[in-house]
Amino acid sequence: NGFNANGTMANRNNFGMLVGFQESHDEQRTNYEAQWDYNGNSIDFATRMERAKINAAFFLMSPGPKMIWQFGELGYDVSIEQGGRTSKKPLHWEYYDVPARKGLYDTYASLISFRKENPEFFKAEAEFSWKANSSAHPVKSITCSASGKTFHVYGNFGASAQTVEIPEGTWKNYLDNSNVAESVTLKEGEYILIKNF
């Protein structure tokens, strides 16, 4: 996967060489699968769209070029098997009119803007690490530093609210540019992207 056990880049020579993706033409849609938990119980639509935002944050804030499969930014949830695995799938332009789907779309747009505004974070010279390999702790994180600037992403992948201790320093929430306190409570499926610039 390109990372050491401690979450740092293992081979910087390969940095950014692989295209990252959450889904492709060969795989079931992540938002189709997200309709059920591990026990087969249904997950409500609003929760699924919020969880898709946290997935987008960790996907788009990690190194390398990204592929977003058709309508993934709107939470496309039509099964790959509908009409046969290789059949044409319906285009749901009306998804843009659904507030929860439009919210997911806006999250993708905001995160992509962050990448475009701060390309130094996504180059081989950046110091990138993540903590996502402990199933015992539901809060996962990304840290990246470059050119004297740093950002962190914290995401609550658990089923209840979690409090995150913020590192010392002056931090701003990227989404609204508000100051961030010493700790932040994240609801189930919620993330925060903070920056010190």
Side-chain angles (χ1 to χ4, degrees):
N1 64 9
F3 293 92
N4 293 317
N6 64 4
T8 59
M9 291 296 297
N11 184 349
R12 301 198 71 75
N13 293 330
N14 293 331
F15 188 98
M17 291 180 62
L18 303 175
V19 175
F21 59 91
Q22 297 183 81
E23 55 193 9
S24 75
H25 65 282
D26 286 328
E27 299 163 307
Q28 185 58 272
R29 292 292 187 143
T30 58
N31 284 298
Y32 176 80
E33 292 179 338
Q35 295 179 78
W36 305 277
D37 66 16
Y38 293 118
N39 297 317
N41 300 313
S42 293
I43 297 174
D44 67 272
F45 175 73
T47 299
R48 287 191 285 125
M49 292 300 104
E50 287 303 309
R51 288 181 178 176
K53 290 178 184 177
I54 194 174
N55 290 343
F58 278 76
F59 171 58
L60 292 170
M61 293 298 101
S62 61
K66 305 300 179 191
M67 177 185 74
I68 301 168
W69 191 242
Q70 300 164 342
F71 295 102
E73 73 280 11
L74 290 165
Y76 193 80
D77 49 16
V78 174
S79 172
I80 193 171
E81 302 299 343
Q82 181 175 318
R85 193 168 184 87
T86 59
S87 69
K88 288 184 179 181
K89 301 301 183 266
L91 301 177
H92 288 293
W93 295 108
E94 74 279 4
Y95 279 4
Y96 286 100
D97 300 323
V98 179
R101 291 188 189 275
K102 181 62 166 62
L104 176 58
Y105 175 88
D106 292 343
T107 296
Y108 269 83
S110 177
L111 295 169
I112 291 168
S113 290
F114 182 89
R115 287 181 68 102
K116 289 181 174 182
E117 293 163 2
N118 304 285
E120 65 274 16
F121 288 127
F122 305 97
K123 295 182 178 177
E125 296 78 24
E127 293 297 322
F128 177 90
S129 64
W130 63 2
K131 293 181 181 172
N133 55 357
S134 170
S135 59
H137 198 285
V139 175
K140 313 304 180 192
S141 66
I142 288 176
T143 299
C144 189
S145 297
S147 305
K149 303 189 298 187
T150 299
F151 78 81
H152 298 279
V153 179
Y154 297 99
N156 179 7
F157 287 83
S160 61
Q162 300 289 323
T163 299
V164 176
E165 300 299 322
I166 302 299
E168 285 188 29
T170 302
W171 298 96
K172 292 193 175 288
N173 183 337
Y174 172 69
L175 294 179
D176 62 12
N177 212 37
S178 63
N179 291 326
V180 178
E182 295 174 358
S183 65
V184 174
T185 300
L186 299 175
K187 297 180 290 190
E188 172 190 353
E190 187 176 25
Y191 80 93
I192 188 170
L193 168 58
I194 63 173
K195 61 189 181 101
N196 67 355
F197 54 94

